[in-house]
């Protein structure tokens, strides 16, 4: 893994700015992020049975995650608005751990990466699960949100350590 010791969102005077990507080549870029929400077993049973008061929790959370990816530049001040070519949000229910795992993949062809879009999708999807289930379980915990991998651009491929 290579890292830079330069924070690119600051200019020579230390002022925050949007990075100029105008001279960068457009390439296929992909990012995958993940996170989890843990809850009471009874809350997970409501989600799995589809009998939560507000409806299909995972279906709505999937849509919310996709919408979150599309709105990333409106939420994160220095992110570039980019044309997403694909966003997928997937869930895995771990009954034995009373947890829902969320994985989001974001893709574009452009001059800047989609890591923030994938991370935003995961966070918004998990927050939607919390919102839809908070009436029965305010103790749910969102954890382990992280970038799993990214591909494309000058810095190439990044894979998180397992």
């Amino acid at each position: 893994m290579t890292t830079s010791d330069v924070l690119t969102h600051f200019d020579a005077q230390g002022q925050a700015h949007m990075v100029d990507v105008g001279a960068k080549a457009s390439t296929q870029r992909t990012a995958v992020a993940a996170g989890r929400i843990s809850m009471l077993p009874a809350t997970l049973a409501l989600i799995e049975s589809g009998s939560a008061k507000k409806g299909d929790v995972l279906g709505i959370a999937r849509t919310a995650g996709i919408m979150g990816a599309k709105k990333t530049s409106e939420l994160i001040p220095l992110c570039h608005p980019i044309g997403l070519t694909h966003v997928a949000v997937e869930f895995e229910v771990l009954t034995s751990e009373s947890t829902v795992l969320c994985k989001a993949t974001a893709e574009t062809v452009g001059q800047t990466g989609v890591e923030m879009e994938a991370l935003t999708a995961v966070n918004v999807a998990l927050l939607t699960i919390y919102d839809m289930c908070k009436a029965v379980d305010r103790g749910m915990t969102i954890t382990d949100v992280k970038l799993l991998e990214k591909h494309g651009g000058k810095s190439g491929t990044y894979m998180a350590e397992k």
Side-chain angles (χ1 to χ4, degrees):
M1 178 173 92
T2 62
T3 58
S4 172
D5 60 354
V6 177
L7 295 174
T8 58
H9 285 89
F10 295 96
D11 64 18
Q13 291 76 41
Q15 301 296 309
H17 73 107
M18 182 181 260
V19 175
D20 182 358
V21 297
K24 292 173 78 175
S26 287
T27 61
Q28 174 70 37
R29 296 163 186 266
T30 304
V32 180
R36 62 178 47 223
I37 185 167
S38 299
M39 62 200 67
L40 296 171
T43 307
L44 187 61
L46 283 172
I47 291 171
E48 287 185 292
S49 70
S51 61
K53 188 174 183 179
K54 292 186 178 181
D56 177 9
V57 173
L58 298 183
I60 294 167
R62 178 177 295 106
T63 300
I66 292 167
M67 290 174 65
K70 292 166 53 175
K71 298 281 189 180
T72 299
S73 68
E74 296 175 32
L75 299 169
I76 310 298
L78 301 178
C79 280
H80 293 85
I82 61 174
L84 293 167
T85 58
H86 179 73
V87 177
V89 176
E90 303 168 10
F91 298 102
E92 180 181 353
V93 175
L94 302 177
T95 306
S96 64
E97 297 177 34
S98 195
T99 296
V100 176
L101 300 178
C102 176
K103 184 170 87 171
T105 303
E107 298 179 22
T108 191
V109 176
Q111 296 167 297
T112 190
V114 289
E115 299 92 55
M116 294 305 299
E117 287 73 12
L119 287 162
T120 300
V122 168
N123 279 288
V124 171
L126 293 174
L127 285 168
T128 299
I129 292 171
Y130 185 95
D131 178 55
M132 293 187 71
C133 298
K134 70 182 183 275
V136 296
D137 187 357
R138 294 197 188 273
M140 291 174 282
T141 305
I142 295 170
T143 59
D144 302 325
V145 176
K146 64 181 181 178
L147 180 67
L148 298 178
E149 60 186 86
K150 71 151 283 294
H151 307 279
K154 186 173 118 180
S155 62
T157 295
Y158 164 82
M159 301 293 287
E161 294 181 19
K162 300 276 179 183

